[in-house]
Amino acid sequence: QPQLVESGGGLVQEGDSLRLSCTNTRGPISRYSVGWFRQGPGKLREFVAAMTWSGNRAIYADSVKGRFTISRDTNKVYLQMDSLKTEDTAVYYCAAQNPSSLTIAESAYEYWGQGTQVTVSS
């Protein structure tokens, strides 16, 4: 089974950009569908973005459309975050599942990283 590790979080100001990455330390991640979720202070974890195993389709939460971009290569999945807002402050998690149709359902994802903190200040 994959072991996922996120990186790239940090403290930034509104309007700045960050690129998060998630690595499968045990081999390629290309055999899995992938997604990003986040959990802000005092909030439930919510869907952010997902991509098929082939990389030919992606979906986004309405709150991040036009600002965030999910991408992938053989060993990593990325989340490019532009025009960051204070409400984007959260712990960001990458997740993976065996190939299936795109879904926003947290329960569909089998493997999870430990998360990386993103803090956006005003």
Side-chain angles (χ1 to χ4, degrees), residues 7-20:
S7 63
L11 174 63
V12 297
Q13 293 184 321
E14 285 186 316
D16 284 354
S17 296
L18 280 175
R19 177 173 289 183
L20 307 182

Side-chain angles (χ1 to χ4, degrees), residues 7 15 23 26 30 34 49-50 55 57 61 69 75-76 82 86 88 94 101 104-105 108-109 113 117 120:
S7 63
T23 302
R26 296 179 177 176
S30 58
V34 295
R57 291 178 60 202
T69 304
N75 297 308
K76 295 177 181 289
D82 298 321
T86 55
D88 295 318
C94 66
S101 59
I104 67 171
Y109 292 86
Q117 177 70 50
V120 185

Side-chain angles (χ1 to χ4, degrees), residues 10-84:
L11 174 63
V12 297
Q13 293 184 321
E14 285 186 316
D16 284 354
S17 296
L18 280 175
R19 177 173 289 183
L20 307 182
S21 64
C22 178
T23 302
N24 175 14
T25 64
R26 296 179 177 176
I29 202 167
S30 58
R31 71 189 70 185
Y32 303 101
S33 297
V34 295
W36 286 94
F37 294 78
R38 68 186 182 186
Q39 186 169 20
K43 300 178 180 179
L44 297 175
R45 189 155 57 187
E46 64 179 358
F47 169 78
V48 176
M51 177 168 278
T52 58
W53 68 269
S54 64
N56 66 341
R57 291 178 60 202
I59 54 174
Y60 298 90
D62 287 342
S63 60
V64 305
K65 281 183 178 178
R67 299 190 298 118
F68 290 10
T69 304
I70 187 172
S71 61
R72 64 187 302 165
D73 58 27
T74 301
N75 297 308
K76 295 177 181 289
V77 57
Y78 305 93
L79 186 69
Q80 176 67 41
M81 305 185 294
D82 298 321
S83 301
L84 283 162

